[in-house]
């Protein structure tokens, strides 16, 4: 998410960008050594399809079984590389940082089919968010991890977390869904539907989808204040136009169309049940972004009000930003301030 190319006209953050466009053979070899795999055999999806899934993951910090475990679920086009030199959340995860790898064992699974490990799913519509949650739970079982100190998930990663806790009410001590909810709203479904149409285009489907998505991740105020209708003198187009082109081309260079169709389908079909939330036995910290167009703050407040009314141990936190959904990847100082008391307790 965070290791984008620095350019005066571009962002110093590309949401969900997890490694440079042109990364070396050395890095790929290094990555292969860090990735570990669990073979989930004969997994049956909600619609009855059966297949083997090579679930890949990475471990950071203390040796497994020697320290409290934090599971981090990555977002839409993210992956398991959450910490270290190329980590998409390295500002928060690492030695002496908020999620301190001197204190915790950190696990991050890849959403099966995201392509980071070379595994893709052809029939992506066979999968639901609950299926991914079940795969992650089986992964934890295979690792003999029965309880987590914390489960943190941003965007769809948090939605997978909701489904995991609906299936295992006693899994975690602290659950922290960030800029996400337990369901796909009509608004979010509509945006994903536009994404689906664009992904079915014959010409540049990934680039088109990404350009639209960037407008969902940001806000009018964010773009207007950044570009101020300035023109790129060489390309003879608005700098905002050039910025969108950059993000579209970049995703096309580092991500697979097949993987994007899968994760968009998952985002489009988050079907958690409200009555299942009250059974979750965890300290729940909901983190919203006040300007989020993807998962509006009022939706997350509604979830908070429901849980509070059911006497659940729940708190609501809000990031203040003009940048919309992307703020959970940009406003690190605010996020650190919000999460610090949770991880120190």
């Amino acid at each position: 998410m965070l290791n984008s190319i620095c350019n005066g006209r571009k962002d110093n953050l590309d949401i969900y960008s997890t490694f440079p466009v042109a990364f070396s053979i050395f890095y790929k070899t290094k990555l292969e050594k860090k990735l570990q795999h669990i073979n989930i055999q004969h997994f049956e999806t909600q619609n009855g399809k059966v297949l083997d899934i090579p679930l890949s993951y990475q471990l950071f910090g203390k040796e497994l079984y020697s320290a409290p475990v934090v599971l981090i679920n990555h977002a839409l086009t993210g992956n398991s590389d959450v910490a270290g030199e190329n980590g998409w959340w390295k500002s928060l995860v690492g030695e002496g940082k908020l999620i301190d790898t001197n204190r915790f064992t950190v696990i991050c699974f890849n959403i099966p089919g995201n392509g980071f490990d070379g595994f893709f799913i052809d029939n992506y519509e066979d999968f639901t968010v609950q299926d991914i949650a079940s795969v992650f739970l089986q992964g934890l079982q295979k690792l003999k991890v029965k309880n987590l100190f914390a489960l943190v998930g941003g965007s769809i990663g948090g939605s997978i977390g909701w489904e995991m806790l609906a299936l295992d009410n006693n899994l975690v001590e602290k659950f922290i869904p960030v800029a996400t909810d337990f369901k796909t709203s009509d608004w979010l479904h509509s945006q994903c539907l536009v994404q689906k149409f664009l992904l079915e285009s014959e010409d540049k489907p990934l680039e088109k989808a990404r350009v639209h998505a960037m407008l969902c991740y940001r806000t009018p105020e964010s773009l207007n204040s950044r570009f101020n209708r300035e023109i790129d003198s060489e390309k003879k187009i608005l700098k905002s136009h050039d910025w969108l082109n950059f993000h579209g081309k970049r995703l096309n260079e580092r991500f697979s169309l097949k993987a994007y169709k899968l994760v968009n389908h998952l985002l489009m079909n988050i079907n958690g049940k409200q009555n299942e939330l009250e059974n979750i036995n965890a300290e729940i910290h909901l983190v919203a972004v006040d300007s989020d167009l993807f998962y509006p703050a009022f939706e997350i407040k509604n979830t908070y009000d429901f849980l509070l009314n059911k006497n659940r141990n729940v708190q609501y936190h809000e990031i203040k930003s003009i940048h919309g959904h992307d703020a959970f990847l940009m406003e690190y100082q605010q996020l650190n301030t919000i999460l610090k008391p949770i991880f120190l307790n």
Side-chain angles (χ1 to χ4, degrees):
M1 294 180 189
L2 300 175
N3 298 332
S4 67
I5 296 173
C6 292
N7 184 307
R9 297 170 308 176
K10 318 300 181 188
D11 257 347
N12 60 5
L13 175 142
D14 174 16
I15 187 171
Y16 314 134
S17 296
T18 50
F19 45 85
V21 175
F23 55 94
S24 66
I25 293 175
F26 169 78
Y27 175 66
K28 286 196 287 184
T29 302
K30 186 178 178 182
L31 177 61
E32 287 167 1
K33 289 181 179 179
K34 290 198 301 181
L35 273 178
Q36 301 186 58
H37 294 80
I38 301 168
N39 189 20
I40 308 296
Q41 295 182 314
H42 310 303
F43 178 79
E44 185 173 353
T45 67
Q46 293 291 303
N47 68 358
K49 300 295 174 64
V50 178
L51 74 164
D52 292 345
I53 295 177
L55 177 64
S56 63
Y57 67 98
Q58 287 175 250
L59 291 173
F60 304 90
K62 304 289 285 185
E63 186 176 347
L64 198 59
Y65 317 120
S66 69
V69 177
V70 176
L71 176 67
I72 299 177
N73 289 348
H74 69 75
L76 195 73
T77 58
N79 54 49
S80 61
D81 209 15
V82 69
E85 181 182 354
N86 295 283
W88 53 262
W89 229 6
K90 63 182 180 182
S91 295
L92 297 178
V93 185
E95 293 185 5
K97 296 180 181 178
L98 174 71
I99 303 177
D100 191 349
T101 49
N102 289 323
R103 179 186 171 198
F104 299 109
T105 302
V106 177
I107 303 174
C108 190
F109 293 118
N110 282 299
I111 293 176
N114 75 351
F116 190 61
D117 53 7
F119 176 67
F120 297 93
I121 294 173
D122 291 322
N123 301 315
Y124 65 89
E125 292 185 344
D126 288 340
F127 280 82
T128 66
V129 173
Q130 189 178 88
D131 288 325
I132 304 301
S134 296
V135 169
F136 283 10
L137 287 173
Q138 288 193 37
L140 290 175
Q141 290 170 6
K142 294 276 189 178
L143 292 174
K144 295 182 171 54
V145 175
K146 295 181 179 179
N147 300 103
L148 302 171
F149 172 77
L151 194 169
V152 187
S155 194
I156 194 171
S159 299
I160 294 169
W162 279 118
E163 289 285 12
M164 291 177 72
L165 296 189
L167 293 169
D168 186 346
N169 300 159
N170 301 306
L171 178 65
V172 306
E173 182 178 336
K174 302 170 188 286
F175 176 44
I176 309 164
V178 183
T180 190
D181 201 12
F182 68 93
K183 65 186 183 306
T184 300
S185 66
D186 294 290
W187 171 260
L188 179 55
H189 186 277
S190 300
Q191 299 304 322
C192 293
L193 184 62
V194 174
Q195 290 278 289
K196 183 177 181 180
F197 290 154
L198 294 171
L199 290 168
E200 292 171 351
S201 302
E202 292 186 6
D203 182 46
K204 300 181 178 179
L206 260 177
E207 291 185 38
K208 290 177 179 177
R210 186 60 163 186
V211 165
H212 167 256
M214 291 305 298
L215 300 179
C216 298
Y217 300 148
R218 300 296 173 91
T219 66
E221 186 178 4
S222 179
L223 263 68
N224 292 344
S225 63
R226 176 185 173 89
F227 296 107
N228 197 31
R229 301 179 66 242
E230 292 181 5
I231 302 290
D232 185 302
S233 58
E234 293 181 7
K235 298 181 180 180
K236 308 299 183 185
I237 59 174
L238 287 167
K239 289 186 177 180
S240 56
H241 186 169
D242 186 38
W243 178 81
L244 289 170
N245 288 343
F246 167 77
H247 282 285
K249 289 176 182 176
R250 183 158 189 212
L251 186 75
N252 189 57
E253 290 169 337
R254 72 169 184 82
F255 209 68
S256 161
L257 177 61
K258 191 179 294 185
Y260 200 113
K261 285 182 175 180
L262 166 71
V263 292
N264 184 65
H265 168 74
L266 294 174
L267 192 62
M268 197 173 184
N269 294 278
I270 304 166
N271 296 315
K273 306 294 187 298
Q274 189 178 55
N275 64 339
E276 295 177 342
L277 305 185
E278 58 186 288
N279 298 322
I280 296 173
N281 296 314
E283 180 183 309
I284 302 173
H285 294 268
L286 307 178
V287 182
V289 178
D290 65 344
S291 58
D292 197 336
L293 301 179
F294 227 41
Y295 288 97
F298 75 86
E299 292 278 0
I300 299 173
K301 284 179 181 175
N302 289 341
T303 299
Y304 167 73
D305 290 339
F306 172 80
L307 290 169
L308 193 65
N309 190 50
K310 296 296 181 178
N311 296 314
R312 295 293 86 190
N313 186 359
V314 60
Q315 294 185 44
Y316 176 83
H317 313 269
E318 193 168 276
I319 296 170
K320 308 293 184 183
S321 176
I322 67 168
H323 297 301
H325 187 67
D326 265 13
F328 88 94
L329 296 169
M330 300 170 74
E331 306 284 3
Y332 283 109
Q333 186 171 352
Q334 287 192 59
L335 193 54
N336 189 80
T337 300
I338 289 170
L339 299 184
K340 189 174 182 179
I342 302 170
F343 279 91
L344 289 181
N345 289 341

